[in-house]
Amino acid sequence: MAGKVSGPVGASGGKTIQQNSDINVTPFVDIMLVLLIIFMVSAPLATVSIKLDLPPATPPVNQEQQKEPTYISIQESGSIFIADKQTTIETLANDVCAAVGNPTGQGCQEERVFIRAQPEVKYNQFMEVMNDLQKNGFFKVGLLNEDIE
């Protein structure tokens, strides 16, 4: 902390000493300028370039296209649609297999299935569809959400 000397006070002509509580920022500015110079000098040295010899890009050997996923839509009235075809909860698994392109039912559970529901659909209607799919072995199920404005 610094001190402050003032002029003559009173009849005695003596000087009084007071404490100065102002912050002395000069050392702080000096330190910051030194740090700035250090960072400016050392920043270009930190960039190191390494030469890489990467192999050329080649397309994959088997380019089979992924199948389009099956979309299950649940209406507010409780109606269930697979693409544009209406179905019921009892025939849902068979209709999903038919929509996937495997009407025999062997291996259709490995395909992706997406469920979208209208905002007004009740939770138990939605969970009934989810539980039926899970009971029939469909575990690759995705949920689609649409923003409500």
Side-chain angles (χ1 to χ4, degrees):
M1 196 172 290
K4 185 192 291 185
V5 178
S6 64
V9 177
S12 65
K15 297 186 178 196
T16 60
I17 298 177
Q18 299 175 350
Q19 287 188 348
N20 183 5
S21 61
D22 294 337
I23 298 173
N24 191 2
V25 295
T26 305
F28 177 72
V29 171
D30 291 344
I31 291 172
M32 293 307 291
L33 288 174
V34 169
L35 287 174
L36 179 66
I37 292 170
I38 290 172
F39 286 129
M40 288 174 57
V41 169
S42 64
L45 300 177
T47 57
V48 178
S49 62
I50 300 173
K51 183 175 164 91
L52 295 176
D53 293 326
L54 296 175
T58 57
V61 177
N62 55 355
Q63 291 185 350
E64 57 182 67
Q65 292 182 342
Q66 288 186 347
K67 295 180 183 178
E68 283 293 318
T70 305
Y71 293 98
I72 300 173
S73 300
I74 307 171
Q75 303 288 327
E76 179 183 357
S77 62
S79 305
I80 302 170
F81 288 89
I82 299 175
D84 294 332
K85 181 184 171 196
Q86 188 170 2
T87 186
T88 62
I89 197 72
E90 292 82 20
T91 61
L92 181 64
N94 294 332
D95 290 341
V96 169
C97 285
V100 166
N102 190 355
T104 60
Q106 299 296 325
C108 65
Q109 288 86 1
E110 297 299 318
E111 298 296 326
R112 295 179 294 162
V113 177
F114 288 105
I115 299 177
R116 60 180 161 216
Q118 289 184 340
E120 294 82 19
V121 171
K122 298 207 177 347
Y123 181 73
N124 63 346
Q125 293 171 330
F126 175 76
M127 285 309 296
E128 187 178 9
V129 172
M130 286 288 294
N131 290 336
D132 187 64
L133 287 173
Q134 187 177 15
K135 181 177 71 175
N136 289 303
F138 290 94
F139 295 112
K140 292 185 178 180
V141 178
L143 304 178
L144 296 178
N145 182 20
E146 296 178 11
D147 291 334
I148 302 172
E149 295 181 16

